[in-house]
């Protein structure tokens, strides 16, 4: 499994990690088995959030006895992101995850509380050893400028954003900003939201052709394309151990320049949008 730097934290994370949105909606045993299989295959970056229902409880069972192997991330809701609210939310997540620390803690998206308050809470949590680093999610370049003014260089570990073959908006400004400032980009929903290219579509045919030539699956090719830059890691969700295995195999697939060019042409990033797309 390839690994990329996680911002300026000094940590490296598996280029393919494990997302957990809606993880608690299916069979609990299958969900735990998927996470465990992912860990066994090197997908040690596990992402969750207080918004994700009981996902934190499922993860707690999956990582029991293996906490030190995991790069564990959770998120605070904007409605809880006051200084006191952020600290309380983090402590709730720690209890639910049955751990004493998070490797990274994120603001899920911008809300009404001043960024100064949320950052102050993050720094207080870091000083107390309850989080090792902090970052943001769904921040556009102008949002990143604002929080950088608050925090200073080197404190923002990552920006977690929507990124898949049909939605490449972050390549216009967000990825360049993160590369400039040493911030990791974490791609959520890397297969789209029930919108993965079908084999009979123009782009899907290109995916299928590359996959066949590389003895891979189209989804593995997609993950490899999205993580082609060392700034980017992806966190697909797996609903079964078999699916986790398929995701993990993408971590060893490196596309050629020609294959990347073919996918770039098949799935053009399009014009820069007015706002940052998000789910």
């Amino acid at each position: 499994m390839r690994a990329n730097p996680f911002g300026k934290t000094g940590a490296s994370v598996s280029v393919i990690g494990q997302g957990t949105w809606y993880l608690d909606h299916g069979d609990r045993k299958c969900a735990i088995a998927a996470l465990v299989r992912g860990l066994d295959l090197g997908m040690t970056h596990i992402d969750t959030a207080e918004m994700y229902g009981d996902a934190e409880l499922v993860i707690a069972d999956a990582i029991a006895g293996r906490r030190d192997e995991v790069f564990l991330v959770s998120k605070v809701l904007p409605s809880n992101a006051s200084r006191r609210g952020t600290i309380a939310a983090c402590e709730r997540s720690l209890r639910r995850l049955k751990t004493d620390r998070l490797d990274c803690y994120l603001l899920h998206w911008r809300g009404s509380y001043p960024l100064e308050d949320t950052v102050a809470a993050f720094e207080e949590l870091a000083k107390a050893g309850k989080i090792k680093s902090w970052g943001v999610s769904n921040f556009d370049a102008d949002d990143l400028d604002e929080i950088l003014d608050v925090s200073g260089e080197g404190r923002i570990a990552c920006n977690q954003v929507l990124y898949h073959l049909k939605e490449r908006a972050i390549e216009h400004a967000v990825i360049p900003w993160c590369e400039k400032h040493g911030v990791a980009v974490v791609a959520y929903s890397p297969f789209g939201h029930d919108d993965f290219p079908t084999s009979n579509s123009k782009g899907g045919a290109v995916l299928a052709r590359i996959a066949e030539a590389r003895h891979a699956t189209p989804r593995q090719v997609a993950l490899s394309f999205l993580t082609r830059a060392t700034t980017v890691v992806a966190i697909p969700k797996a609903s079964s151990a078999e699916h986790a295995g398929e995701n993990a195999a993408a971590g060893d697939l490196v596309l050629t320049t020609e294959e990347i060019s073919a996918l770039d042409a098949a799935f053009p990033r399009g014009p820069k949008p007015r706002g940052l797309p998000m789910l």
Side-chain angles (χ1 to χ4, degrees):
M1 174 71 67
R2 290 178 290 132
N4 282 348
F6 199 79
K8 294 183 178 179
T9 64
S12 292
V13 301
S14 54
V15 71
I16 308 299
Q18 303 192 75
T20 60
W21 194 17
Y22 294 123
L23 188 74
D24 61 324
H25 287 206
D27 182 89
R28 185 184 182 90
K29 288 184 178 179
C30 285
I32 292 171
L35 288 170
V36 170
R37 180 63 173 156
L39 284 180
D40 291 343
L41 294 172
M43 293 194 296
T44 53
H45 175 194
I46 297 179
D47 176 87
T48 191
E50 65 171 342
M51 189 186 84
Y52 296 173
D54 287 338
E56 289 177 328
L57 301 178
V58 177
I59 292 166
D61 287 346
I63 67 173
R66 305 182 67 172
R67 174 63 185 90
D68 291 344
E69 299 175 41
V70 180
F71 190 91
L72 188 58
V73 180
S74 194
K75 310 180 198 74
V76 58
L77 280 165
S79 56
N80 291 331
S82 65
R83 184 162 184 168
R84 291 180 62 184
T86 299
I87 292 169
C90 181
E91 290 173 343
R92 283 195 302 273
S93 287
L94 292 174
R95 287 193 297 271
R96 287 161 64 83
L97 288 160
K98 298 180 182 178
T99 184
D100 61 349
R101 82 277 184 197
L102 293 171
D103 294 282
C104 197
Y105 195 41
L106 312 184
L107 174 59
H108 211 147
W109 64 88
R110 285 199 71 168
S112 59
Y113 287 110
L115 292 175
E116 290 84 354
D117 291 355
T118 310
V119 170
F122 285 158
E123 294 294 350
E124 186 175 336
L125 288 164
K127 188 176 292 187
K130 293 178 181 178
I131 66 174
K132 290 189 175 182
S133 63
W134 61 265
V136 295
S137 181
N138 297 303
F139 270 45
D140 209 342
D142 56 346
D143 300 310
L144 291 166
D145 281 334
E146 286 188 49
I147 198 164
L148 181 67
D149 286 343
V150 173
S151 67
E153 290 282 356
R155 299 305 299 160
I156 307 164
C158 74
N159 184 22
Q160 186 179 123
V161 282
L162 178 66
Y163 188 36
H164 56 86
L165 288 173
K166 294 183 178 181
E167 184 50 84
R168 298 173 57 191
I170 64 167
E171 293 181 19
H172 287 284
V174 172
I175 288 181
W177 192 101
C178 290
E179 288 175 340
K180 178 181 178 181
H181 295 281
V183 174
V185 175
V186 180
Y188 73 76
S189 295
F191 300 134
H193 197 61
D194 297 324
D195 190 31
F196 192 74
T198 59
S199 59
N200 59 1
S201 66
K202 182 179 177 181
V206 175
L207 267 178
R209 175 174 55 79
I210 295 171
E212 183 178 8
R214 299 301 298 271
H215 304 289
T217 68
R219 288 176 182 255
Q220 289 166 348
V221 172
L223 288 175
S224 182
F225 177 81
L226 296 173
T227 58
R228 65 197 183 281
T230 56
T231 317
V232 183
V233 298
I235 48 168
K237 189 190 78 170
S239 56
S240 68
E242 181 182 10
H243 189 188
E246 180 184 358
N247 290 342
D252 294 318
L253 177 62
V254 179
L255 300 177
T256 66
T257 302
E258 292 76 16
E259 289 166 341
I260 289 171
S261 295
L263 290 166
D264 184 46
F267 299 97
R269 67 180 184 175
K272 183 179 178 180
R274 287 188 176 183
L276 185 72
M278 59 181 284
L279 293 179

